[in-house]
Amino acid sequence: MTRIDRRFQDLKREGRGGLVAFITAGDPDYATSLAILKGLPAAGADIIELGMPFSDPMADGPAIQAASLRALRAGMTLRKTLAMVAEFRQGDAATPIVLMGYYNPIYSYGVDAFLKDAREAGVDGLIVVDLPPEEEGELCLPALKAGINFIYLTAPTTDDARLAKVLRNASGFVYYVSILGITGTASAPIDQVEAAVTRLKGHTDLPVAVGFGIKTPEHAGRIAAIAEAAVVGSALVNVVAAGLDGNGQAKPGLVAEVLAFAGRLGDGVRKKG
């Protein structure tokens, strides 16, 4: 059983949905990002999704694209992202961390070396947006062998035949992208999300986390009432961006502002709408 499995078991026992909080590793700089990362569990995050900065994302909207660029300009790399996870693990052995990003940096790093270092750092799961199930031999199967969950995205357009392929080796949880488009833009009507979650649960026993377009504590609460977790990314990243000075540097209070917003999201999830 992985840390992600245990966390969803805990949430089920507590009778509530969870909050998956996304930040970009190294945004706006390593020290600030690490301070946010370390503070997220106490603020209310049940699972942390840590973005691996990448210059050419396909699923990320303007907020997360800008966060990636800030991190890359500050010198963030995949190796430093793993180092950040290792630093986090020195003080937190329980909160699952899922790395989200794209395959190019992992391919360049070397799959075997990446999985070994990720495992040693304390990474629990991977979401690699541009690796479909047809390419599962590239990373999904090696990750499972290494004891790291591989989480696939599903969308409103994922029909039953496609879903069978997507779920074949999915583990940890299923990430339902609730809109057609990129992160941080529109929000799906709650009744459509509920119908989609119900359909997914007819195909899998894995927990379902819903993301894309969740912006407020109230919205997170409504989602957490119908799925196992709500994923919030761009809204958190926007708080980071709002805390920068004219030179793109973190202003005093930025970390506290981000964690305060995460706390309100956590409260929203615990109220369950």
Side-chain angles (χ1 to χ4, degrees):
M1 178 178 292
T2 68
R3 233 181 318 244
I4 296 173
D5 298 331
R6 287 195 292 274
R7 180 52 50 96
F8 277 110
Q9 279 195 352
D10 292 343
L11 292 172
K12 185 175 183 180
R13 186 164 52 247
E14 294 172 21
R16 66 176 178 89
L19 171 65
V20 181
F22 172 97
I23 60 169
T24 298
D27 174 34
D29 58 73
Y30 188 96
T32 303
S33 186
L34 179 61
I36 295 170
L37 180 64
K38 288 182 173 179
L40 281 173
D46 297 292
I47 295 173
I48 297 170
E49 197 178 319
L50 190 60
M52 298 179 281
F54 184 53
S55 59
D56 192 22
M58 66 170 66
D60 298 317
I64 296 178
Q65 287 183 30
S68 277
L69 291 177
R70 288 194 295 268
L72 292 170
R73 287 175 183 146
M76 201 62 184
T77 64
L78 182 52
R79 194 171 299 280
K80 289 182 180 178
T81 299
L82 296 177
M84 181 176 286
V85 176
E87 283 200 70
F88 172 83
R89 277 282 168 253
Q90 292 175 12
D92 189 316
T95 306
I97 290 191
V98 176
L99 296 184
M100 180 172 184
Y102 301 85
Y103 187 47
N104 276 21
I106 297 171
Y107 179 80
S108 297
Y109 194 105
V111 168
D112 291 343
F114 169 75
L115 290 174
K116 177 179 178 293
D117 292 351
R119 179 72 176 171
E120 290 178 357
V123 171
D124 303 293
L126 298 174
I127 300 172
V128 181
V129 177
D130 51 354
L131 273 185
E134 287 79 3
E135 305 296 335
E136 63 189 11
E138 289 282 338
L139 184 60
C140 171
L141 298 181
L144 295 176
K145 189 176 179 182
I148 296 175
N149 288 135
F150 201 88
I151 296 132
Y152 277 109
L153 303 177
T154 67
T157 52
T158 308
D159 62 22
D160 288 352
R162 181 67 182 165
L163 202 52
K165 291 183 179 178
V166 170
L167 295 173
R168 182 172 52 205
N169 285 301
S171 64
F173 60 90
V174 178
Y175 189 133
Y176 177 64
V177 176
S178 61
I179 59 169
L180 297 177
I182 55 178
T183 60
T185 53
S187 299
I190 197 74
D191 58 332
Q192 290 184 14
V193 176
E194 185 169 16
V197 170
T198 299
R199 186 172 78 89
L200 280 171
K201 288 187 172 299
H203 291 266
T204 182
D205 293 328
L206 288 171
V208 177
V210 177
F212 285 46
I214 301 173
K215 302 172 182 175
T216 67
E218 294 74 20
H219 193 191
R222 290 197 297 274
I223 294 295
I226 59 177
E228 274 79 9
V231 186
V232 181
S234 294
L236 275 164
V237 169
N238 282 335
V239 181
V240 175
L244 302 177
D245 64 19
N247 296 316
Q249 303 299 307
K251 292 190 290 190
L254 183 154
V255 173
E257 289 291 330
V258 174
L259 296 180
F261 182 60
R264 293 194 290 276
L265 292 169
D267 290 344
V269 165
R270 285 159 177 79
K271 290 175 184 174
K272 298 204 299 184

